[in-house]
Amino acid sequence: ADSLLVVTPWYPSPGDSYSGAFVLQTVRALAPHYRESTVLHVQHVAADDDRPPSWEHTPEGPVLRVRVPTPASTSRVDMMRLQREAMRTHALDLIRSASVVHCHVGAPTGAGLAELLAPSTRLVLTEHASYLPQVLRTAEARELYRAAVQRAEVVTAVGERTAAEVIESAPFEVM
């Protein structure tokens, strides 16, 4: 009966019905178990894309689309920072009011999100990045990623190799 917020860099949109179709399926599976569910789609877009955040009503519930203008050469650490600031500016109340947050991908999204959560918020992190070693090349990226993983109550991964990379990158208790 709590509220669920799904935070993701990928989610189907009218112009791109396939992006994040797997996240949509997760939302469909989880939403019936919560009093309310909302999706926060934090999407990197071209640096000159100045569209404001927008709400969309879907059969699965409301979706807040926050576009993050990002130059093509932006580092992963800077992407983490850009996402954090976009979420802080446009969705902080939404993030702080959720009982459970299910975040798809640890970097940049989880790393940007972790410090914005209320202390009582339960965080579930699903790692999708099969390219995690490249994402975590710098010490700062590894530090931000570890903070997100360690803040999570539950961490899942989309495959065994990805799970092993998460454990190696951000040690935590494995159940």
Side-chain angles (χ1 to χ4, degrees):
D2 293 330
S3 60
L4 171 68
L5 175 64
V6 176
V7 182
T8 179
W10 319 284
Y11 204 70
S13 64
D16 187 2
S17 61
Y18 293 107
S19 178
F22 51 90
V23 178
L24 174 62
Q25 294 305 317
T26 302
V27 170
R28 286 179 177 161
L30 293 174
H33 302 282
Y34 291 89
R35 176 177 38 80
E36 61 182 345
S37 65
T38 305
V39 173
L40 172 56
H41 179 200
V42 185
Q43 179 184 20
H44 286 279
V45 294
D48 62 351
D49 187 334
D50 61 355
R51 290 176 291 167
S54 61
W55 282 97
E56 179 181 330
H57 297 283
T58 71
E60 294 74 32
V63 176
L64 174 58
R65 296 191 192 274
V66 174
R67 293 157 191 93
V68 184
T70 309
S73 60
T74 303
S75 72
R76 276 293 164 161
V77 168
D78 286 338
M79 290 173 89
M80 293 174 198
R81 288 187 194 117
L82 287 170
Q83 281 202 8
R84 180 180 57 228
E85 290 314 307
M87 288 186 280
R88 183 188 323 272
T89 300
H90 302 293
L92 188 59
D93 289 344
L94 182 63
I95 292 166
R96 293 265 169 102
S97 67
S99 306
V100 177
V101 173
H102 184 186
C103 181
H104 289 267
V105 80
T109 309
L113 173 71
E115 75 177 50
L116 302 177
L117 297 168
S120 62
T121 301
R122 299 173 69 193
L123 175 62
V124 176
L125 179 65
T126 297
E127 185 57 75
H128 296 268
S130 58
Y131 48 88
L132 198 54
Q134 291 82 9
V135 170
L136 304 178
R137 281 187 217 168
T138 68
E140 187 175 4
R142 288 189 301 275
E143 180 181 319
L144 290 168
Y145 185 79
R146 279 189 191 111
V149 170
Q150 291 171 349
R151 172 61 175 83
E153 187 171 315
V154 175
V155 178
T156 63
V158 297
E160 289 181 29
R161 186 175 125 226
T162 302
E165 289 171 348
V166 170
I167 292 167
E168 182 179 319
S169 302
F172 59 96
E173 182 179 339
V174 178
M175 300 172 89

